[in-house]
Structure formats: C-alpha cells, structure tokens
Coordinates of all heavy atoms in Angstrom, one line a residue:
S1 N 96.9 108.0 81.9 CA 96.0 108.2 82.9 C 95.7 107.0 83.7 O 95.5 107.0 84.9 CB 94.7 108.8 82.4 OG 93.7 109.0 83.4
F2 N 95.6 105.8 83.0 CA 95.3 104.5 83.7 C 96.4 104.2 84.7 O 96.1 103.9 85.8 CB 95.3 103.4 82.6 CG 95.3 102.1 83.1 CD1 94.1 101.5 83.6 CD2 96.4 101.3 83.2 CE1 94.0 100.2 84.1 CE2 96.4 100.0 83.7 CZ 95.2 99.4 84.1
F3 N 97.7 104.4 84.3 CA 98.8 104.2 85.2 C 98.8 105.1 86.4 O 98.9 104.6 87.6 CB 100.1 104.4 84.4 CG 101.3 104.1 85.3 CD1 101.8 102.9 85.6 CD2 102.0 105.2 85.8 CE1 102.9 102.7 86.3 CE2 103.2 105.0 86.6 CZ 103.6 103.8 86.8
L4 N 98.6 106.4 86.2 CA 98.5 107.3 87.3 C 97.4 107.0 88.3 O 97.5 107.2 89.5 CB 98.4 108.7 86.8 CG 99.6 109.4 86.2 CD1 99.2 110.8 85.7 CD2 100.7 109.5 87.1
S5 N 96.3 106.5 87.8 CA 95.1 106.3 88.6 C 95.1 105.0 89.4 O 94.3 104.9 90.4 CB 93.9 106.3 87.7 OG 93.7 107.5 87.0
R6 N 96.0 104.1 89.1 CA 96.1 102.9 89.9 C 97.1 102.8 90.9 O 97.4 101.8 91.6 CB 96.2 101.7 88.9 CG 94.9 101.5 88.1 CD 94.9 100.3 87.2 NE 94.9 99.1 88.0 CZ 93.7 98.5 88.4 NH1 92.6 99.0 88.1 NH2 93.7 97.4 89.1
F7 N 97.8 103.9 91.2 CA 98.7 104.1 92.3 C 98.1 105.3 93.1 O 97.4 106.1 92.6 CB 100.1 104.4 91.9 CG 100.9 103.2 91.4 CD1 101.1 103.0 90.1 CD2 101.4 102.3 92.4 CE1 101.8 101.9 89.7 CE2 102.2 101.2 91.9 CZ 102.4 101.0 90.6
G8 N 98.5 105.4 94.4 CA 98.1 106.6 95.2 C 99.0 107.8 94.9 O 99.6 108.3 95.8
F9 N 98.9 108.2 93.6 CA 99.8 109.3 93.2 C 99.1 110.7 93.5 O 98.0 110.9 93.0 CB 100.1 109.2 91.7 CG 101.1 108.2 91.4 CD1 101.1 107.6 90.1 CD2 102.2 107.9 92.2 CE1 102.1 106.6 89.8 CE2 103.2 107.0 91.9 CZ 103.1 106.3 90.7
E10 N 99.8 111.5 94.2 CA 99.3 112.9 94.5 C 99.3 113.7 93.2 O 98.5 114.7 93.1 CB 100.1 113.6 95.6 CG 101.6 113.9 95.2 CD 102.6 112.8 95.5 OE1 102.2 111.6 95.4 OE2 103.7 113.1 95.8
S11 N 100.2 113.4 92.2 CA 100.2 114.1 91.0 C 98.9 114.0 90.2 O 98.5 114.9 89.4 CB 101.3 113.6 90.1 OG 101.2 112.2 89.8
N12 N 98.2 112.9 90.4 CA 96.9 112.7 89.8 C 95.8 113.6 90.3 O 94.9 114.1 89.6 CB 96.4 111.2 89.9 CG 95.6 110.7 88.8 OD1 95.8 111.2 87.6 ND2 94.7 109.8 89.0
I13 N 95.9 113.9 91.6 CA 95.0 114.9 92.2 C 95.3 116.3 91.6 O 94.4 117.1 91.3 CB 95.2 115.0 93.7 CG1 95.1 113.6 94.4 CG2 94.2 115.9 94.4 CD1 93.7 112.9 94.1
A14 N 96.6 116.6 91.5 CA 96.9 117.9 90.9 C 96.5 118.1 89.5 O 96.1 119.1 89.0 CB 98.5 118.1 91.1
L15 N 96.6 117.0 88.7 CA 96.3 117.0 87.3 C 94.8 117.3 87.2 O 94.4 118.1 86.3 CB 96.6 115.7 86.7 CG 96.1 115.5 85.2 CD1 96.8 116.5 84.3 CD2 96.5 114.1 84.8
L16 N 93.9 116.7 88.0 CA 92.5 117.0 87.9 C 92.2 118.4 88.3 O 91.5 119.1 87.6 CB 91.8 116.0 88.9 CG 90.3 116.3 89.1 CD1 89.5 116.2 87.8 CD2 89.7 115.5 90.2
A17 N 92.8 118.9 89.3 CA 92.6 120.3 89.7 C 93.1 121.3 88.6 O 92.4 122.3 88.4 CB 93.4 120.6 91.0
F18 N 94.2 121.0 87.9 CA 94.7 121.8 86.9 C 93.8 121.9 85.7 O 93.5 123.0 85.1 CB 96.1 121.3 86.5 CG 96.8 122.3 85.5 CD1 97.3 123.5 86.0 CD2 97.0 121.9 84.2 CE1 98.0 124.3 85.1 CE2 97.7 122.8 83.3 CZ 98.2 124.0 83.8
V19 N 93.3 120.7 85.3 CA 92.3 120.7 84.1 C 91.0 121.4 84.5 O 90.5 122.2 83.6 CB 92.1 119.3 83.7 CG1 91.0 119.2 82.6 CG2 93.3 118.6 83.2
V20 N 90.5 121.2 85.7 CA 89.3 122.0 86.1 C 89.6 123.5 86.1 O 88.7 124.3 85.7 CB 88.9 121.5 87.5 CG1 87.8 122.4 88.1 CG2 88.3 120.1 87.4
A21 N 90.8 123.9 86.6 CA 91.1 125.3 86.6 C 91.1 125.9 85.2 O 90.6 127.0 85.0 CB 92.5 125.5 87.2
L22 N 91.7 125.2 84.2 CA 91.7 125.7 82.9 C 90.3 125.8 82.3 O 90.0 126.8 81.6 CB 92.6 124.7 82.0 CG 94.1 124.7 82.3 CD1 94.8 123.7 81.4 CD2 94.7 126.1 82.0
A23 N 89.5 124.7 82.5 CA 88.2 124.7 81.9 C 87.3 125.9 82.6 O 86.6 126.6 81.9 CB 87.5 123.4 82.2
A24 N 87.5 126.1 83.9 CA 86.7 127.1 84.5 C 87.2 128.5 84.1 O 86.4 129.4 83.9 CB 86.9 127.0 86.1
L25 N 88.5 128.7 83.8 CA 89.0 129.9 83.3 C 88.4 130.3 81.9 O 88.1 131.4 81.7 CB 90.5 129.9 83.3 CG 91.2 131.2 82.9 CD1 90.8 132.4 83.8 CD2 92.7 131.0 82.9

C-alpha cells in the first residue's frame, strides 16, 4: 500500500472504491 500511495496510481483509487464497496455490501 505504501508503494501504491506514493505514485499517482489510478489503481490505488480503484482499490479504495473496491474495499468500500465490499464493506458497504
């Protein structure tokens, strides 16, 4: 997570949305 967060990676945005989606479900 540290590595993903220190670049402007769009995959990090998707990862957050995915985890929120699972928790909300």
Side-chain angles (χ1 to χ4, degrees):
S1 178
F2 171 81
F3 178 80
L4 284 179
S5 300
R6 293 187 67 89
F7 284 100
F9 282 148
E10 67 270 33
S11 58
N12 212 28
I13 307 299
L15 175 61
L16 173 62
F18 188 71
V19 173
V20 169
L22 291 176
L25 182 57

